Amino acid sequence: MAIPQTTGRKNKSRRHAHRKQKHVWNDKHWRWVPTADGDWRVQGYVFHHKHKPAKHHFRGPGPKPVRRLAAAAALNPDPRPAGAYQGPFGHDQAVRLLNRAGFGPSLGQADPLASLGLVGAVQSLTRPSGAAILSGPAPVDDNGKPLAPADSWGHDHLWWLDRMVRSNQPLVERMALVFHDWFATSKRGVSKQQQMIDQSNLFRAAWGGSFLDLFKAVAIDPAMLQWLNGAENEKWAPNENFGREMMELFSLGADRGAYTEDDVREQARALTGWRNDWSNELGAHNFRFEPGWHDTGSKSVFGRSGNWGWEDACRLCVEHPLHPSFFVDKLWSYFVPTPAPEPLRASLIDTYVGSGWQIRPVLETILMSPALYEGPPMVKPPVVQLAGMLRAVGRYIDTTAWVWLCEPAGQVLFLPPNVAGWDDSRWLDTSRMRARWNIVDYVLDGISVDAWRRPYSTTETAEEALARALGSWGSPGLREEHRAELLEFARRAEKQVSANWQKGPYRAMRQNALLQLIGISPDLILQ
């Protein structure tokens, strides 16, 4: 209850303070105040009444106002920045975004994403909240036992494939794969699988921040220190491996006039000082910087002289005038198969430099670019296609077969072919296409129909058969000519039925064939 501020048995100072506020009631009220994120919160305040308020006087805060950002979105539900894709953003566009910025949609994921609009959809992927959530059963081997990714051969591949299938942050996993290819490191030159897994976690943590920070972290990562001999680089005998690749492959590019052989040698000196211990039990361990092993003399790199160290070596590369264009072109190539239009390329370079070498703003612009939605399709890397198929059919990691099936297809995680990573122009030769056919066959295990042991419809039409097969694949979009060809195949197959006993089994075999043909079709291989 409000208490009137009147004179009475108060001390002298209180009487003096309230002399001009006689017959004023201080009443606690509440109101909605805006927050920085566009929402509202309740704030209490004191209201001074000249008259005693009524017993049931309204003190607030009343109904919560409409969220300010939501109200703005209602007026413009899909605000897009200048230069962004301006066409329709529906189911098909959401599927392409999920294919390029993840591993394809899981069942029912595309339409809710499309409802967010282009900007909302992209930012829902590029700005995830909190730690990733892995939904579904944990991965197991063929015997139903948990994986041992740090110890059993191939289980590291399965461990990462599982994250691609189950994570609610697919872009994080896709960017980890991008940087695994960008800074290609193979466990063939690393003592422990756990060190490779740790490197992938480094990519998950740093994928959207400063490229310079990522570069420096990779430079002293134990897996990289072993792979490119960084821990064998000492002032008495500088090793040039990492110094060369950090310029040629990681930051500047070859045959662009960005560096000389002298720059390579001087960069190697700047990188000296890292070493590690070794034991049969622990492998390479205790990675550390030894000042006594570092060359403290002056080095001249890119025409700049100083007592450069390993951090300077990374910074000098990123500050090189040719680095921003290299970064933009390389990042772009992972998401769009054709070169960026020159005005957009220049804008991406300006964004990158102006943000202080931040990755996320460049990536968001790429994912909103017209070229991503209007340009030609890209070939999915084998692991990306496999993860997408498992997501589509709702299957989880329950076999170690994915390791030996992915190998002839050309991609085993943590085993890139060389320091340049995988060659995306060589995914589809005759041998690798056969390997993808076998992968599809294994994905369909448990979905394919047993033609001889279980009864199957004896009246299913060609149209119904195709609809059922597409439904098993999560109803992917097919080009009209591909759908027509599959439907014609289904009709031809039906004509092969001549006896009553063939009606069910032959239709079951037709269903299996449709499932296989859809899985190996260009519509599932391309993204």
Side-chain angles (χ1 to χ4, degrees):
M1 179 181 294
I3 300 175
Q5 301 296 312
T6 61
T7 58
R9 298 185 184 88
K10 305 290 182 182
N11 59 45
K12 183 177 181 181
S13 62
R14 290 291 299 273
R15 289 199 307 271
H16 178 77
H18 292 147
R19 184 175 299 161
K20 294 183 179 181
Q21 298 186 28
K22 193 174 183 179
H23 306 303
V24 171
W25 279 260
N26 294 337
D27 197 20
K28 186 68 174 289
H29 283 229
W30 289 267
R31 61 189 172 191
W32 293 103
V33 296
T35 60
D37 64 355
D39 206 352
W40 302 84
R41 65 178 177 84
V42 175
Q43 181 187 69
Y45 67 100
V46 175
F47 189 84
H48 305 292
H49 294 278
K50 293 183 179 180
H51 303 283
K52 183 177 180 180
K55 182 177 181 181
H56 299 293
H57 171 69
F58 177 75
R59 293 177 173 84
K64 184 177 180 180
V66 176
R67 183 176 169 88
R68 290 172 293 131
L69 294 184
L75 297 176
N76 186 7
D78 190 12
R80 304 183 189 182
Y85 167 70
Q86 298 297 324
F89 190 78
H91 176 90
D92 292 346
Q93 290 74 28
V95 169
R96 175 164 281 201
L97 175 61
L98 287 168
N99 279 329
R100 300 277 178 96
F103 306 92
S106 55
L107 188 62
Q109 184 183 12
D111 289 335
L113 186 72
S115 70
L116 300 177
L118 174 66
V119 176
V122 168
Q123 291 183 352
S124 73
L125 298 173
T126 60
R127 305 180 187 187
S129 176
I133 298 173
L134 303 181
S135 301
V140 294
D141 63 14
D142 296 281
N143 298 316
K145 295 182 178 180
L147 300 182
D151 302 312
S152 296
W153 190 92
H155 282 206
D156 49 347
H157 174 91
L158 300 171
W159 171 84
W160 196 348
L161 181 62
D162 170 69
R163 294 188 64 91
M164 295 175 181
V165 173
R166 293 200 294 143
S167 176
N168 70 330
Q169 297 180 4
L171 179 64
V172 175
E173 295 304 319
R174 190 65 184 262
M175 288 302 293
L177 182 60
V178 164
F179 285 119
H180 177 38
D181 182 67
W182 191 310
F183 297 101
T185 307
S186 170
K187 64 182 180 182
R188 287 191 179 95
V190 177
S191 66
K192 295 187 292 185
Q193 289 183 177
Q194 184 61 52
Q195 291 165 335
M196 294 296 301
I197 292 171
D198 291 343
Q199 188 188 69
S200 75
N201 286 328
L202 186 163
F203 297 143
R204 288 183 187 90
W207 67 269
S210 161
F211 181 80
L212 176 57
D213 290 344
L214 173 61
F215 200 7
K216 290 192 291 187
V218 170
I220 60 172
D221 173 71
M224 182 61 78
L225 285 171
Q226 294 173 76
W227 176 238
L228 287 181
N229 310 111
E232 300 172 15
N233 186 10
E234 56 192 52
K235 65 181 181 181
W236 304 282
N239 187 299
E240 299 176 4
N241 279 1
F242 185 71
R244 182 180 302 280
E245 306 305 356
M246 73 185 303
M247 292 185 278
E248 178 178 336
L249 297 174
F250 304 158
S251 66
L252 298 174
D255 303 322
R256 304 179 72 210
Y259 61 92
T260 66
E261 286 300 309
D262 286 339
D263 292 324
V264 173
R265 285 188 284 271
E266 294 292 276
Q267 195 77 297
R269 293 177 57 214
L271 294 163
T272 54
W274 286 91
R275 58 182 304 216
N276 64 271
D277 296 332
W278 170 271
S279 71
N280 291 332
E281 180 183 1
L282 300 176
H285 64 284
N286 191 24
F287 290 83
R288 63 198 183 276
F289 181 77
E290 290 281 7
W293 291 48
H294 174 65
D295 186 334
T296 58
S298 179
K299 303 102 180 170
S300 179
V301 181
F302 311 137
R304 301 171 65 179
S305 297
N307 180 16
W308 309 128
W310 66 272
E311 291 182 291
D312 300 308
C314 298
R315 177 179 54 80
L316 290 169
C317 286
V318 173
E319 290 177 350
H320 193 289
L322 290 179
H323 167 67
S325 58
F326 172 87
F327 172 84
V328 165
D329 290 345
K330 191 171 179 70
L331 185 62
W332 174 275
S333 70
Y334 285 103
F335 299 96
V336 184
T338 54
E342 192 52 44
L344 177 55
R345 181 174 182 263
S347 176
L348 288 169
I349 291 171
D350 289 343
T351 297
Y352 180 57
V353 175
S355 67
W357 307 302
Q358 294 292 308
I359 301 166
R360 181 182 281 106
V362 180
L363 176 62
E364 289 184 339
T365 303
I366 293 173
L367 296 181
M368 295 184 198
S369 68
L372 191 143
Y373 301 96
E374 298 172 346
M378 301 177 70
V379 177
K380 295 178 183 176
V383 168
V384 173
Q385 184 187 357
L386 172 56
M389 290 190 296
L390 294 174
R391 288 169 62 84
V393 302
R395 184 176 174 183
Y396 302 96
I397 305 304
D398 55 7
T399 175
T400 58
W402 306 128
V403 184
W404 60 261
L405 285 165
C406 284
E407 186 172 8
Q411 190 175 38
V412 176
L413 298 169
F414 302 114
L415 274 173
N418 51 57
V419 71
W422 288 281
D423 184 352
D424 288 343
S425 68
R426 301 178 64 87
W427 286 134
L428 297 182
D429 58 29
T430 54
S431 175
R432 290 179 174 181
M433 277 300 296
R434 182 179 183 276
R436 291 199 190 216
W437 177 280
N438 291 334
I439 289 175
V440 171
D441 186 42
Y442 267 74
V443 169
L444 294 173
D445 184 33
I447 298 175
S448 298
V449 181
D450 189 327
W452 303 105
R453 295 186 180 181
R454 292 186 181 180
Y456 194 81
S457 171
T458 59
T459 60
E460 183 180 69
T461 66
E463 290 78 6
E464 290 170 342
L466 179 57
R468 173 175 176 169
L470 288 171
S472 295
W473 277 115
S475 301
L478 298 184
R479 297 182 186 180
E480 284 305 316
E481 61 269 28
H482 297 166
R483 180 184 292 271
E485 183 61 36
L486 287 168
L487 186 57
E488 179 58 27
F489 162 78
R491 289 169 177 161
R492 292 197 307 269
E494 193 170 317
K495 294 178 181 178
Q496 302 303 311
V497 177
S498 58
N500 284 335
W501 67 267
Q502 295 172 338
K503 289 182 179 180
Y506 276 35
R507 282 177 167 82
M509 288 188 287
R510 176 181 66 180
Q511 179 64 202
N512 292 340
L514 286 170
L515 287 168
Q516 185 74 28
L517 290 172
I518 293 169
I520 201 63
S521 69
D523 305 282
L524 268 68
I525 290 178
L526 300 178
Q527 57 183 346

